[in-house]
Amino acid sequence: MKIRDIKTHVLSKPLDKPFAFSMGWVNQRSSMLVELTTDDGLTGWGESLCHGLQPPQIAASIVQHALKPIVLGQDPFDVDVLWERMYNQTRAFGQKGAVPNAISAVDIAIWDCLGRATGKPIHKLLGGAYRTQVQPYATGFYRYRQGADIADAVAEARRHIDAGFKAMKLKIGFGLEEDIAYVHSVRQAIGQGYQLMVDANHAYNVGSARRLLKAIEPAQIHWFEEPISPEDIDGYRELKNSTDIYLAAGENEFTKIGFREWVSRRAVDILQPDLCSAGGFTECRKISALAQAWHTPIIPHVWGSGIGLAASLQFIATLPPSPLGLSPIEPILEYDQSDHPFRQALIFDALRIEDGMVNIPTGPGLGIEVNRDILDQYAVAH
Ligand code: CA
């Protein structure tokens, strides 16, 4: 079997109601998808994570100009060799950010092909699933106007609870006083029965984050995600030793080389690599092994379309709980609930919450099918 072609699909749609997180306004939802075909007629799909402020055309251009020439005509079963070639041949202008982001999409598409070639879901090819379903948590609570609106946040929390969520993550990073009041108000409104996390998208420095951690500890926050810049690993170490709230980060880190520093320096309690950005299955299984060796749990970052969601579920299935006992601490699924015109439509609404859980897809490859009408509907020039 040989890789015959790689197409990139750039999808984008302006949002009817743009929303803000601590770094800026998200005016559109976009995806960069890779469609890989083989000489015996198989098709595999992959996705690059597209952050709220990220133009999807960048990853598409890297796939077309830098990665496609490396993998065309190659055997997809040589996926490890192909990954290292892609990384090594882009090292001088890659290593972090858009290049591993693009490599991830190609790698995921290759694994989807391998699954379809063998008739197995990707988690079987990676050594098997530790679980058949995963508990989702709701990511949302973005801002639609300036300032915190407690009534809006409480109404959103109620919607998530009604949808079956038992855990949810608040967006903070809008100033210490505002954040502290917001977190306590939401906790008070929803009560103690639900897991609450907060995410500042690296809006603070060590001093202000330490003050914030102390002030929100009484609200029983499960983890504080990206309190400070991803470049400040020593800052994370300082914060981790100052609080009972778990520290989490990783969506802005890439490859086993990048994660080596976070893991070996014990910078966080929870690592959050994004499969569609940190390097795809080939690299994230190595990041998982690193994390296991340092006894650090992984709860992946997920913010893509249905393809990224399905891929992340395949990866989550393979994460070993540590320790593996009768009541293991299980990974949970980040399930973005913010506006996205084609997140579910792209995969025929295949991944829904049932009885508070999301099932790991068991069909070949990623375990989902792609709706080509949606590709046409949201395609933009690139
Ligand atoms: Ca985040």
Side-chain angles (χ1 to χ4, degrees):
M1 185 164 60
K2 298 275 189 275
I3 297 170
R4 189 178 61 191
D5 195 16
I6 289 187
K7 279 202 185 81
T8 47
H9 298 270
V10 174
L11 313 187
S12 198
K13 169 80 165 57
L15 289 170
D16 295 335
K17 283 171 65 185
F19 57 80
F21 66 121
S22 68
M23 291 295 117
W25 282 86
V26 178
N27 295 306
Q28 59 185 19
R29 290 306 291 261
S30 307
S31 291
M32 200 295 285
L33 308 175
V34 159
E35 179 184 7
L36 185 149
T37 48
T38 66
D39 57 357
D40 49 5
L42 287 172
T43 299
W45 293 93
E47 176 169 5
S48 291
L49 169 67
C50 196
H51 280 284
L53 308 179
Q54 178 179 344
Q57 290 86 352
I58 297 172
S61 179
I62 292 165
V63 171
Q64 286 297 339
H65 295 286
L67 306 181
K68 187 172 171 178
I70 297 170
V71 301
L72 274 193
Q74 302 299 312
D75 182 347
F77 279 97
D78 293 336
V79 60
D80 229 292
V81 175
L82 295 177
W83 194 97
E84 294 296 337
R85 277 194 197 140
M86 287 191 284
Y87 181 78
N88 278 273
Q89 292 188 29
T90 56
R91 175 184 273 121
F93 52 93
Q95 299 181 34
K96 289 181 191 273
V99 174
N101 195 244
I103 291 174
S104 302
V106 174
D107 183 80
I108 292 166
I110 292 175
W111 278 97
D112 190 23
C113 261
L114 299 182
R116 288 166 194 272
T118 54
K120 303 277 188 197
I122 291 168
H123 64 255
K124 285 282 184 194
L125 304 185
L126 294 175
Y130 286 93
R131 54 198 65 82
T132 57
Q133 50 180 200
V134 56
Q135 186 197 313
Y137 77 85
T139 284
F141 300 93
Y142 293 89
R143 301 284 169 88
Y144 293 91
R145 63 185 82 87
Q146 194 76 24
D149 187 328
I150 304 293
D152 254 17
V154 172
E156 181 174 346
R158 296 274 173 237
R159 281 201 305 278
H160 298 322
I161 290 167
D162 290 345
F165 286 102
K166 295 181 179 63
M168 55 196 85
K169 191 167 73 186
L170 302 177
K171 284 290 178 187
I172 59 168
F174 298 95
L176 282 183
E177 297 308 317
E178 184 177 313
D179 281 355
I180 292 166
Y182 181 71
V183 170
H184 282 287
S185 300
V186 174
R187 170 55 90 195
Q188 199 169 13
I190 68 168
Q192 296 296 327
Y194 301 93
Q195 216 167 45
L196 209 50
M197 292 78 89
V198 297
D199 181 0
N201 291 96
H202 49 78
Y204 292 112
N205 56 30
V206 170
S208 51
R210 189 193 303 116
R211 195 170 286 181
L212 181 53
L213 278 160
K214 197 178 274 294
I216 61 175
E217 265 181 5
Q220 303 210 328
I221 300 305
H222 185 50
W223 79 60
F224 190 161
E225 179 171 323
E226 285 204 302
I228 59 174
S229 298
E231 294 92 338
D232 188 6
I233 295 180
D234 285 334
Y236 276 90
R237 297 182 65 203
E238 280 180 48
L239 286 176
K240 181 163 160 276
N241 293 325
S242 76
T243 178
D244 290 338
I245 297 174
Y246 293 159
L247 280 199
E251 69 183 78
N252 286 301
E253 191 54 86
F254 308 87
T255 78
K256 58 186 168 295
I257 311 295
F259 278 93
R260 177 186 65 193
E261 301 306 311
W262 292 83
V263 169
S264 64
R265 286 154 76 178
R266 304 188 79 85
V268 287
D269 298 292
I270 296 165
L271 276 180
Q272 299 172 302
D274 191 304
L275 187 81
C276 301
S277 197
F281 288 106
T282 301
E283 194 68 350
C284 284
R285 72 196 299 205
K286 295 173 183 175
I287 294 167
S288 169
L290 271 182
Q292 188 186 21
W294 267 268
H295 302 275
T296 305
I298 286 183
I299 297 178
H301 174 263
V302 186
W303 210 68
S305 77
I307 293 176
L309 189 58
S312 300
L313 281 166
Q314 295 293 338
F315 178 51
I316 289 172
T318 71
L319 293 173
S322 175
L324 181 54
L326 289 178
S327 303
I329 299 168
E330 293 280 6
I332 54 180
L333 168 70
E334 177 165 21
Y335 206 143
D336 176 25
Q337 298 296 299
S338 62
D339 292 343
H340 194 312
F342 47 86
R343 176 175 42 229
Q344 283 289 347
L346 183 64
I347 56 165
F348 299 101
D349 292 279
L351 300 170
R352 290 290 183 185
I353 300 171
E354 290 169 32
D355 298 327
M357 301 294 277
V358 177
N359 291 322
I360 310 284
T362 54
L366 295 171
I368 43 99
E369 298 299 329
V370 171
N371 185 341
R372 287 187 181 272
D373 292 342
I374 299 295
L375 294 182
D376 296 338
Q377 190 177 341
Y378 295 106
V380 295
H382 64 287

